[in-house]
Amino acid sequence: MGNSIETKIVHGNSYFEERTGAVSYPIYQCATFRHPGLHETTGYDYSRQNNPTREELEKSIALLEEGKYGFAFSTGMAAIANLFEIFSSGDHIVATDDLYGGSYRLFTTICKNHGIEFTFVDSSDIIEIEKSIKSNTKAIYIETPTNPTMKITDIKKVVKIGKKNNLLTIVDNTFMTPFFQRPLILGADIVVHSGTKYIGGHNDTLAGFVVLSDDKIAEKLRLIQKSTGAVIGPFDSWLILRGLKTLAVRMERQEKNAKYIAEKLGENENIENVYYPGLENHSGYEIAKQQATGFGAMISFTVKTKQQVENILKNVKVVMFAESLGGVESLITYPAVQTHGDVPVELREKLGITETLLRLSVGIENCEDILNDIIQAVKGE
Ligand SMILES: *Cc1c(COP(=O)(O)O)cnc(C)c1O
């Protein structure tokens, strides 16, 4: 009973707090915990190490991703940066070339300075991944769909190559969330998230997660989390727990809106290309359909001129011109300048992150309102 994803999303790890019956898990706004005596503990000593509200969040995300261990961090980047502390100087990672810009920046600056080497490939092409594996390769790191051009990578195929070569498969599942896609079930070893996006869902809190099932890696990561201290605070943990409860209904509505808008945008004379994996003519449509129960609510599209980009960004009134994604408010971003500004121009061009590409995170507003807003804005009248 109660094992469907919708119910698990609402109930989370605890369903209610045992001690008081509180339906909303309490905020333990507390830095330290009293010891009953020498060598005695309540299970909580100091909140950098462990805090009940954070623990509830960690166990809830682990439950939804069907992993044994969840770790919550102050941001998605903190989660990814902490995870990469499991690697050492001399290790090599194969990663998707069309990554979230912040991850690309972390890998090519901070991680690189620590001696970790990366090869970026089009991970939707499995042969490209296989060709890039070297004797010091330790992991394959993918996003699917990619950001912002929405390419789909076959997770099961990547896992197969990973297992064959004794590599970890890591999936950034931010765009899909466990409501639509559960990479650990498909065989991946580690899932990371920006909880700031769909999981929190309200554009009001930063958060990040790592979920995995391997005992040894979990032990390492617990030490890293405790030692670096990039944890999420009790109040922010609660905000994410609160947002999480409506994940299923938000994702359903956002996806429904996105499908409608993607189709209609494709018919508009001012729009050139629409990238949405839920369109049957999208190259990743079949794989997306197999490995996920939905296509998400991120759409990218190109207009015909740079002036039309400026028109849209200046004239939208329902959609907001702002970085980020996944919240109830529809947001539009200009990847070439914003999220992917730190990706070199040549790579951007190769990936199709052109000067006329825009990325739309579809919210829960009325779908006609969102569509009409973009159509009126592009004209720049
Ligand atoms: C936003 C984002 C991140 C980084 O998360 P923050 O919470 O902003 O630090 C990582 N991966 C993806 C796919 C993202 O969209």
Side-chain angles (χ1 to χ4, degrees), residues 231-297:
V231 293
I232 185 168
F235 184 62
D236 284 359
S237 295
W238 181 82
L239 280 169
I240 300 291
L241 280 169
R242 178 185 156 115
L244 182 59
K245 284 179 187 282
T246 54
L247 178 70
V249 286
R250 284 187 283 109
M251 292 306 285
E252 277 170 1
R253 173 60 178 267
Q254 284 173 269
E255 185 192 46
K256 191 166 158 238
N257 278 356
K259 260 190 192 151
Y260 178 79
I261 292 162
E263 277 166 18
K264 295 287 175 187
L265 276 182
E267 294 165 9
N268 188 272
E269 54 183 10
N270 292 316
I271 310 295
E272 209 165 58
N273 291 310
V274 178
Y275 305 100
Y276 178 66
L279 294 176
E280 281 181 37
N281 64 2
H282 185 281
S283 61
Y285 175 80
E286 287 301 330
I287 296 168
K289 218 167 94 175
Q290 277 167 32
Q291 68 186 10
T293 55
F295 301 101

Side-chain angles (χ1 to χ4, degrees), residues 12 21 32 64-65 77 126 145 147 160 181 191 194 200 206 218 224 241 261 280 282 286 336 351:
T32 191
L64 298 180
E65 284 289 3
M77 289 324 302
I126 295 297
N147 181 357
K160 207 166 156 197
Q181 177 170 280
V191 162
S194 170
L206 299 172
I224 294 163
L241 280 169
I261 292 162
E280 281 181 37
H282 185 281
E286 287 301 330
L351 298 175

Side-chain angles (χ1 to χ4, degrees), residues 102-322:
S103 303
Y104 181 83
R105 180 175 55 219
L106 173 77
F107 296 163
T108 53
T109 58
I110 315 291
C111 293
K112 186 173 164 240
N113 287 342
H114 293 169
I116 302 170
E117 198 195 330
F118 288 83
T119 302
F120 296 97
V121 300
D122 176 355
S123 60
S124 67
D125 183 350
I126 295 297
I127 298 175
E128 285 288 305
I129 298 182
E130 203 151 25
K131 276 201 310 214
S132 309
I133 295 169
K134 306 197 282 189
S135 59
N136 59 338
T137 306
K138 292 287 153 63
I140 306 169
Y141 183 96
I142 60 168
E143 276 179 34
T144 179
T146 60
N147 181 357
T149 60
M150 311 304 294
K151 276 191 288 199
I152 301 292
T153 294
D154 190 326
I155 298 174
K156 273 191 182 160
K157 283 196 178 148
V158 174
V159 164
K160 207 166 156 197
I161 295 174
K163 292 218 188 309
K164 195 172 107 192
N165 293 279
N166 207 15
L167 314 175
L168 294 172
T169 299
I170 307 170
V171 182
D172 183 334
N173 203 30
T174 301
F175 273 32
M176 287 280 100
T177 84
F179 181 64
F180 282 140
Q181 177 170 280
R182 288 187 287 284
L184 298 183
I185 297 300
L186 300 171
D189 300 285
I190 302 173
V191 162
V192 298
H193 271 286
S194 170
T196 312
K197 314 294 168 53
Y198 290 101
I199 304 249
H202 292 74
N203 290 319
D204 58 8
T205 314
L206 299 172
F209 302 110
V210 178
V211 184
L212 51 89
S213 293
D214 183 279
D215 298 335
K216 283 214 177 89
I217 302 173
E219 199 180 315
K220 265 193 200 173
L221 196 59
R222 183 155 293 120
L223 174 71
I224 294 163
Q225 187 190 38
K226 179 172 88 176
S227 306
T228 66
V231 293
I232 185 168
F235 184 62
D236 284 359
S237 295
W238 181 82
L239 280 169
I240 300 291
L241 280 169
R242 178 185 156 115
L244 182 59
K245 284 179 187 282
T246 54
L247 178 70
V249 286
R250 284 187 283 109
M251 292 306 285
E252 277 170 1
R253 173 60 178 267
Q254 284 173 269
E255 185 192 46
K256 191 166 158 238
N257 278 356
K259 260 190 192 151
Y260 178 79
I261 292 162
E263 277 166 18
K264 295 287 175 187
L265 276 182
E267 294 165 9
N268 188 272
E269 54 183 10
N270 292 316
I271 310 295
E272 209 165 58
N273 291 310
V274 178
Y275 305 100
Y276 178 66
L279 294 176
E280 281 181 37
N281 64 2
H282 185 281
S283 61
Y285 175 80
E286 287 301 330
I287 296 168
K289 218 167 94 175
Q290 277 167 32
Q291 68 186 10
T293 55
F295 301 101
M298 295 299 298
I299 300 173
S300 289
F301 61 92
T302 52
V303 288
K304 291 188 171 147
T305 65
K306 219 176 145 194
Q307 182 60 47
Q308 289 176 326
V309 170
E310 286 179 36
N311 289 349
I312 290 181
L313 298 180
K314 201 164 178 66
N315 297 321
V316 279
K317 293 181 180 72
V318 175
V319 177
M320 267 183 277
F321 172 29

